Amino acid sequence: MEYSRGKLIYEGKAKRLFEVDGHPEWILQEFKDSLTAFNALKKGSFENKGALNRDITSMVFKFLEKRGIPSHRVADIGTNEMVTEKLNMLKVEVVVRNVLAGSTAKKFGIEEGTPLEKPLVEFYYKDDALADPFISDDQALMMKVCRSQSELDELKSVALKVNEGLMTFFGDAGLRLIDFKIELGRNANGTVVLADEITPDSCRLWDKKTGEKMDKDRFRRDLGNVAESYQEVAERLKQSFLKSQSQTLAQSQEIKS
Ligand code: ADP
Ligand code: UDP
């Protein structure tokens, strides 16, 4: 199928969104090579970053889709573009933490790297001008992120399901999932759908053996080898994605025979 890129709708920090000619129900997302941190106060970029993040997001979404988690992905095109279902985005970023890190470790005076007894789910109000502040459930309802507590609970349950899938997928690639952020939207039927991206920009990933950071913290904290780490994550995920595909094939052949 041919997809023809239409008008630019929006330019964000990591992506540009375009219309798809003849398909008002879709959005073409172009993953940029730029890298930002601290609400865009720190800026950088590296060649091929957009393509790596598109590939990583695509593999993650395909993996999660097989586990019953719908995503906005329609198709990959070119090297750094993805056609997606246009959603009514929820004004919230949902963060799941398995291990304490970053500002939350600091906030509680607990050492970074301390594992949590159970995953923590948090909501942040999605508004760059306010620097995406943390919000309680009641504040999320006040700001009309959702209509009811049960809808907020649904978001939490989707986020925990995503966490389980990601722990398996990243774990098989020798990566420890510390925490991550997702964005969700509702489609025309009102179903909650996983949107945006899942990449080393939006996850903390530590090498299982060495504990080395393999994500955007390399950029945030000037640790060096940013491009090399993103490349390594993409390579490893490719291997475990291919492995998971051949396992699915073997299982379906077993069922048929
Ligand atoms: P930001 O807006 O934070 O700078 P990006 O550069 O990644 O982030 O821009 C992507 C934008 O597209 C985000 O605002 C995100 O909420 C939005 N978005 C992601 N997926 C969809 C979708 N399926 N439908 C509509 N909007 C989406
Ligand atoms: N995160 C993100 N976008 C944001 C905020 C956080 O992708 O706007 C991700 C971040 O990469 C990390 C997780 O969400 O994997 C938790 O981030 P945290 O709140 O700990 O960020 P910090 O304040 O430490 O930078």
Side-chain angles (χ1 to χ4, degrees), residues 173-187:
L175 297 165
R176 190 167 170 222
L177 178 64
I178 305 303
D179 56 30
F180 66 91
K181 178 269 305 183
I182 51 171
E183 293 186 31
L184 301 161
R186 286 189 190 277
N187 67 13

Side-chain angles (χ1 to χ4, degrees), residues 10 12-15 17 29 72 85 87 89 126 183 196:
Y10 171 82
K13 298 184 288 292
K15 287 180 233 84
L17 309 186
Q29 308 215 3
H72 68 172
E85 188 182 4
L87 299 172
M89 295 301 289
K126 193 172 156 49
E183 293 186 31
D196 205 52

Side-chain angles (χ1 to χ4, degrees), residues 10 20 29 82 133 142-143 180 184 186-187 215 231 243 257:
Y10 171 82
V20 180
Q29 308 215 3
M82 186 183 284
M142 175 189 93
M143 293 308 288
F180 66 91
L184 301 161
R186 286 189 190 277
N187 67 13
D215 54 66
Q231 178 77 47
K243 211 174 84 193
S257 64

